[in-house]
């Protein structure tokens, strides 16, 4: 299957290892990955901060870049949620019926959905001998309704010990520009998230979105918390063989 | 807060400034630093969440009920004029008197006038969610009327010298029992100095005091959760019993309610009475549900006044977002599941009420021109927990985003652009072109790497400094993903 990768702008810049992991994983499963080079940003930050016009411009651009692909896969859950749930609203706010129609035609899948629902796999042949906690990000949980898809994928990873995290479904406090506009509340929230993460004894915290992981990971790093954050894709891409190592 | 005309729905359109209040982020700081408040909020919201979940889980048709509730509220608000006219007729026929208050000032003036007309210098109040919205206590005091709040939360706030609590549903949980005992001993008339700090003793002390007030009251001011248009019946849900006493004991009863509290029929009420208590407190039914229709000779108040408060509501109904928000039945379930509210409480949201729906209603009704009201739609991570629990299916995150759009559009009209607008525009301009985007990736990585040490960035200037105050940022790798992709041996080139 030919799959177009939407890597998301912040992964492109800050977490290229996640994009490499998605590529390695899908190719290992026998699929062709293409990277439409005109892709930039889905417009999520502009939309959720109230910048409708700018969001509409970016949404139109996204729709143009990805309209010709039968399957678009992204490791950014909140961006997938933006395309799937917000583009229709962006189109309405901007009075752009063409965008509404174009958005409906886009086949954007979050990675775990694509693996489980489209490809029908849960065991992707990964090996990752670590104790891992999973944080269901708000968009994964409530907008995309990923349910236990990421957990099923993680449970099938050899060597991986999946641990339950208390209050896992509570927001980490990132919220895009919220983390800056309401920094104090945001930090109060991530402090509790960090406490819950550390209570699991996991050495790796995993999620389907690097945005939230950057937040929790940023707090863990500042506190020297002894837990690293990894995108689900990077765990699923790991096989234990040095040749397949995708992290820089 | 003042009860003048500056607090009002039409204030934003008529040019008068709404009452001053601090921006959410500023107001939240005090709450965040109040360790006892944090502990109590955590405990109580957690308990209310668990109770709600259990109560909702008992019903097999909860989703159908929510859908029915949404439909009832939508229809009611769409035909609000007709339902209100019917309500006025029914209440009048049953012996009550209906008064219309266009704004907060008029409501306060009406209530004050009705109290003073009785010739009594005192009134008890019970379950008046609109008290702060209309500046009820300030207006009564100005008219020389002594008001005695009988809700435990309000009594406590009053004893403490603070404002009435902004949250409609939760009782006095913002203070723990040690603080309550200290307060009662100091300020509650007749409280014994050796009052123990166990909940039963504290409740008994408050009850003894409040019963004396209620038994001697001649005039009461109350609220109503619902008003049945068909029969003119007013409905009050509460858990302390003071409301029941207030609507039955005094000779004159003055009920203040928002026009959005109208319900067409008892059949509609039946649905809402299943949704509200389970959502609010996890009760199958509120401990006290009072329903009363007009006046009945020899039984209950001989005089009933209903003050119907608009104060921006009908103006807010003009658009879809306003109609969605006003579906709210004030259960506070959205607040109880909100991770922001759990850490700040209701106070930073302002006098119209806290939690996610407060962050919607205040800017919706009062406008977004001033910085404090404009900050409220941003007091959320848009995590969506509120939308999951709302009994009338208000998509609160969607409304918050719409209101953020309103804030931004209003700022665009200003002659000097805000720094945020410039930043957002420039980000969008960069993202609109591949060449510009790739150049920004390269230069951004270069700069960020200069600021980093040991693979992490500890301090950033400007707005981003708000991030690095408490959180690191990973240093961007030398090569972006697309740089790696281009350099791939197998798939070299662009596709």
């Amino acid at each position: 299957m030919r799959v177009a990768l939407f890597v998301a702008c912040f992964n492109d810049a800050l977490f290229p290892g996640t994009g490499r992991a998605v590529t390695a994983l899908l190719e290992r499963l026998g699929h062709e990955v293409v990277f439409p080079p005109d892709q930039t940003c889905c417009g999520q930050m502009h939309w959720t901060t109230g910048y409708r016009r700018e969001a509409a411009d970016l949404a139109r651009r996204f729709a143009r870049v990805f309209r010709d692909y039968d399957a678009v896969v992204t490791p950014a859950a909140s961006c997938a949620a933006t395309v799937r749930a917000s583009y229709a609203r962006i189109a309405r706010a901007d009075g752009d019926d063409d965008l509404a129609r174009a958005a409906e035609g886009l086949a954007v899948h979050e990675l775990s959905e694509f693996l489980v629902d489209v490809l029908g796999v849960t065991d992707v042949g990964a090996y990752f001998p670590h104790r891992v906690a999973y944080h269901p990000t708000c968009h994964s949980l409530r907008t995309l309704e990923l349910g236990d898809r990421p957990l099923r994928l993680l449970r099938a990873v050899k060597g991986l010990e999946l641990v339950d995290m208390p209050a896992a479904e509570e927001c980490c406090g990132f919220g895009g520009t919220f983390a800056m506009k309401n920094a104090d509340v945001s930090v109060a929230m991530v402090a509790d998230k960090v406490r819950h993460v550390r209570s699991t004894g996991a050495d790796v915290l995993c999620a389907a979105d690097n945005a939230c992981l950057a937040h929790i990971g940023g707090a863990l790093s500042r506190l020297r918390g002894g837990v690293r954050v990894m995108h689900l894709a990077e765990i699923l891409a790991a096989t234990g063989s040095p040749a397949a190592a995708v992290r820089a | 807060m003042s009860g003048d005309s500056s607090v009002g729905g039409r204030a934003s359109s008529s040019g008068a400034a709404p009452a001053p209040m601090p921006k959410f982020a500023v107001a939240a700081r005090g709450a965040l630093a109040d360790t006892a408040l944090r502990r109590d909020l955590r405990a109580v919201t957690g308990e209310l969440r668990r109770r709600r979940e259990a109560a909702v889980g008992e019903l097999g048709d909860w989703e159908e009920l929510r859908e029915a509730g949404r439909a009832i509220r939508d229809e009611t608000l769409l035909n609000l004029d007709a339902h209100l006219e019917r309500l006025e007729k029914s209440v009048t026929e049953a012996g009550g008197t209906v008064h219309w208050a266009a704004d907060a000032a008029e409501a306060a003036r009406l209530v004050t006038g009705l109290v003073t007309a009785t010739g009594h210098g005192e009134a008890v109040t019970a379950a008046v969610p609109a008290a702060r919205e209309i500046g009820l206590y300030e207006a009564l005091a100005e008219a020389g009327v002594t008001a005695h709040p009988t809700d435990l939360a309000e009594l406590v706030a009053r004893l403490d010298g603070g404002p009435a609590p902004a949250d409609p549903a939760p009782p006095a949980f913002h203070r723990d029992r040690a603080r309550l005992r200290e307060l009662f001993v100091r300020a509650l008339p007749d409280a014994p100095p050796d009052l123990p700090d166990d909940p039963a003793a504290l409740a008994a002390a408050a009850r003894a005091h409040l019963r004396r007030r209620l038994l001697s009251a001649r005039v009461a001011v109350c609220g109503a959760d619902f008003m049945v248009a068909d029969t003119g019946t007013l409905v009050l849900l509460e858990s302390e019993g003071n409301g029941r006493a207030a609507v039955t004991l005094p000779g004159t009863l003055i009920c203040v309610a928002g026009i959005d509290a109208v319900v067409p029929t008892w059949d509609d009420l039946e649905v809402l009475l299943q949704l509200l208590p389970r959502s609010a407190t996890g009760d199958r039914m509120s401990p006290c549900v009072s329903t009363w229709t007009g006046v009945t000779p020899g039984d209950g108040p001989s005089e009933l006044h209903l003050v119907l408060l608009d104060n921006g509501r009908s103006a807010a109904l003009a658009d879809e977002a306003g109609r969605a928000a006003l579906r709210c039945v004030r259960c506070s379930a959205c607040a109880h599941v909100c991770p922001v509210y759990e850490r700040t409480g209701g106070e930073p949201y302002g006098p119209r009420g806290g939690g996610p729906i407060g962050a919607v209603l205040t800017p919706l009704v009062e406008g977004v021109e001033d910085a404090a009201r404009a900050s409220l739609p941003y007091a959320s991570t848009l995590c969506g927990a509120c939308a999951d629990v709302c009994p009338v299916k208000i998509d609160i995150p969607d409304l918050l985003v719409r209101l953020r759009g309103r804030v931004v559009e209003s700022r665009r009209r200003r002659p000097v652009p805000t720094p945020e607008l410039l930043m957002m525009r420039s980000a969008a301009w960069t993202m609109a072109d591949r060449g510009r985007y790739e150049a920004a990736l390269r230069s951004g990585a270069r700069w960020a790497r200069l600021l980093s040490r040991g693979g992490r960035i500890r301090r950033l200037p400007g707005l981003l400094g708000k991030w690095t105050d408490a959180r690191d940022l990973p240093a961007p790798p030398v090569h972006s993903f697309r740089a790696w992709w281009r350099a791939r041996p197998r798939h070299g080139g662009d596709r």
Side-chain angles (χ1 to χ4, degrees):
Chain A
M1 189 170 192
R2 189 160 170 269
V3 181
L5 169 64
F6 171 56
V7 75
C9 55
F10 60 89
N11 286 329
D12 199 355
L14 287 173
F15 306 101
T18 298
R20 294 199 295 274
V22 177
T23 309
L25 175 64
L26 292 175
E27 289 181 349
R28 193 171 80 213
L29 294 171
H31 302 283
E32 184 196 350
V33 180
V34 295
F35 181 76
D38 280 331
Q39 63 179 281
T40 57
C41 164
C42 69
Q44 178 182 193
M45 175 183 75
H46 286 93
W47 172 246
T48 56
T49 312
Y51 293 81
R52 298 166 180 165
R53 299 179 203 177
E54 290 80 1
D57 288 342
L58 290 169
R60 277 187 283 269
R61 179 187 174 82
F62 184 98
R64 208 164 51 235
V65 171
F66 287 102
R67 70 183 161 200
D68 293 330
Y69 296 95
D70 295 332
V72 181
V73 172
T74 180
S78 60
C79 303
T82 298
V83 175
R84 292 234 298 266
S86 301
Y87 272 18
R89 286 168 178 166
I90 294 173
R92 233 176 110 204
D94 206 54
D96 184 346
D97 295 340
D98 291 342
L99 174 58
R101 272 190 296 277
E104 235 171 87
L106 292 169
V108 175
H109 308 273
E110 181 277 333
L111 177 67
S112 69
E113 289 175 324
F114 186 71
L115 293 171
V116 175
D117 299 349
V118 180
L119 300 183
V121 291
T122 45
D123 185 348
V124 296
Y127 170 70
F128 189 74
H130 294 277
R131 182 182 261 230
V132 175
Y134 172 72
H135 168 62
T137 68
C138 299
H139 283 100
S140 308
L141 181 72
R142 301 195 182 87
T143 311
L144 296 177
E145 300 182 339
L146 293 187
D148 66 350
R149 289 177 187 83
L151 296 173
R152 281 153 66 193
L153 289 161
L154 286 168
R155 283 192 202 109
V157 173
K158 282 182 204 61
L160 187 148
E161 184 194 351
L162 185 64
V163 291
D164 281 336
M165 182 165 69
E169 297 187 351
E170 190 172 300
C171 177
C172 75
F174 172 54
T177 46
F178 177 87
M180 273 79 78
K181 283 175 181 279
N182 282 286
D184 295 312
V185 184
S186 173
V187 170
M189 287 166 70
V190 80
D192 287 331
K193 182 58 74 181
V194 162
R195 182 166 56 86
H196 293 311
V197 170
R198 298 196 60 197
S199 77
T200 64
D203 56 323
V204 173
L205 175 73
C206 151
D209 200 321
N210 277 329
C212 314
L213 282 181
H215 189 235
I216 308 170
L220 281 163
S221 162
R222 176 62 54 91
L223 296 165
R224 313 296 189 270
V227 182
R228 67 190 155 123
V229 296
M230 274 176 88
H231 192 283
L232 176 68
E234 294 171 23
I235 292 178
L236 298 180
T239 60
S241 95
V246 288
R247 289 181 66 79
Chain B
M1 187 198 119
S2 68
D4 63 25
S5 61
S6 65
V7 183
R10 283 165 189 158
S12 54
S13 47
S14 68
M21 61 188 228
K23 280 165 70 165
F24 185 85
V26 175
R29 265 180 224 140
L32 287 169
D34 185 336
T35 52
L37 173 68
R38 294 282 298 276
R39 179 198 63 201
D40 296 346
L41 279 167
R42 198 161 53 233
V44 174
T45 55
E47 175 66 11
L48 286 167
R49 281 200 293 267
R50 279 186 293 278
R51 286 179 57 97
R52 181 202 158 274
E53 222 164 287
V56 164
E58 288 179 347
L59 299 178
D61 60 348
W62 182 250
E63 287 309 314
E64 287 88 338
L65 269 175
R66 286 177 83 204
E67 182 50 33
R70 182 202 61 74
I72 289 167
R73 294 294 292 151
D74 268 347
E75 191 282 330
T76 305
L77 295 170
L78 215 49
N79 301 302
L80 192 61
D81 286 8
H83 295 305
L84 286 172
E85 275 171 32
R86 173 130 187 76
L87 175 73
E88 180 179 32
K89 192 162 168 279
S90 309
V91 170
T92 310
E93 281 171 5
T97 311
V98 175
H99 310 264
W100 299 89
D103 56 25
E106 191 174 4
R109 206 161 49 238
L110 276 165
V111 175
T112 310
L114 290 167
V115 175
T116 49
T118 63
H120 298 289
E122 290 187 325
V124 292
T125 66
V128 199
R132 276 184 79 182
E133 182 188 339
I134 67 173
L136 176 66
Y137 293 118
E138 292 82 352
L140 287 174
E142 219 166 276
V145 175
T146 308
H148 302 293
T150 60
D151 301 333
L152 187 56
E154 292 216 18
L155 170 72
V156 169
R158 175 64 69 96
L159 292 176
D160 216 6
D167 299 310
F173 68 62
H174 289 185
R175 287 164 187 82
D176 58 64
R177 55 200 174 112
R179 280 207 255 188
L180 263 188
R181 191 206 82 91
E182 184 274 326
L183 179 66
F184 279 8
V185 170
R186 174 162 52 85
L188 185 70
D190 318 322
D194 59 348
L195 180 68
D197 73 354
D198 67 275
L202 291 170
R207 183 184 296 119
H209 169 74
L210 291 171
R211 283 185 79 87
R212 275 194 298 280
R213 287 272 184 244
L214 285 161
L215 284 168
S216 62
R218 304 293 182 82
V219 185
V221 182
C222 72
D225 292 285
F226 301 111
M227 312 178 287
V228 185
D230 243 9
T231 55
T233 305
L234 306 180
V235 183
L236 182 63
L237 277 59
E238 32 113 25
S239 51
E240 295 168 17
N242 63 312
R244 170 65 59 89
V247 305
T248 47
L249 295 174
T252 301
L253 178 60
I254 303 159
C255 180
V256 192
I259 52 173
D260 51 322
V262 69
V263 173
T265 67
W266 278 79
D267 284 345
D268 300 324
L269 181 67
E270 182 226 317
V271 173
L272 298 173
L273 281 187
Q274 291 181 74
L275 288 167
L276 179 54
R278 287 179 196 261
S279 298
T281 51
D283 289 312
R284 291 174 186 145
M285 187 51 69
S286 301
C288 295
V289 179
S290 302
T291 68
W292 68 102
T293 308
V295 292
T296 308
D299 182 12
S302 54
E303 222 183 294
L304 171 69
H305 297 278
L306 175 61
V307 177
L308 290 171
L309 176 64
D310 186 329
N311 201 27
R313 287 168 176 80
S314 54
L317 286 173
D319 68 61
E320 201 190 328
R323 283 195 296 279
L326 284 172
R327 287 209 298 268
C328 177
V329 292
R330 297 182 164 74
C331 68
S332 296
C334 61
H336 303 154
V337 298
C338 177
V340 174
Y341 176 91
E342 184 186 326
R343 288 163 182 85
T344 66
E347 210 49 46
Y349 295 85
R352 266 183 199 261
I357 195 66
V360 168
L361 285 170
T362 302
L364 185 81
V365 174
E366 300 184 4
V368 295
E369 277 310 313
D370 84 303
R373 279 144 188 94
S375 75
L376 287 175
Y378 294 93
S380 163
T381 62
L382 306 177
C383 82
C386 48
D388 282 356
V389 300
C390 177
V392 288
K393 296 175 88 168
I394 303 174
D395 188 346
I396 297 175
D398 177 52
L399 296 179
L400 289 169
V401 170
R402 288 193 208 204
L403 284 162
R404 292 176 184 192
R406 254 182 225 186
V407 172
V408 170
E409 292 308 318
S410 79
R411 281 6 178 212
R412 278 193 218 270
R413 289 193 291 272
R414 292 184 179 177
V416 182
T418 62
E420 186 187 278
L421 175 59
L422 295 175
M423 202 202 78
M424 287 290 183
R425 263 196 207 144
S426 114
W429 179 79
T430 303
M431 299 293 190
D433 177 84
R434 178 179 160 193
R436 290 197 290 264
Y437 169 71
E438 291 182 350
L441 276 184
R442 285 190 298 270
S443 70
R446 216 165 27 241
W447 278 106
R449 290 178 68 80
L450 280 176
L451 294 169
S452 71
R453 275 177 68 182
R456 58 183 158 219
I457 301 169
R458 308 283 301 280
R459 192 181 298 167
L460 283 169
L463 184 65
L464 287 170
K466 296 268 192 187
W467 176 284
T468 52
D469 272 351
R471 294 151 290 202
D472 290 343
L473 201 65
V478 182
H479 296 298
S480 64
F481 174 78
R482 64 180 58 222
W484 171 82
W485 181 273
R486 264 199 294 268
R488 285 184 93 194
R490 255 192 307 164
H491 295 274
D494 280 346
R495 289 213 176 183

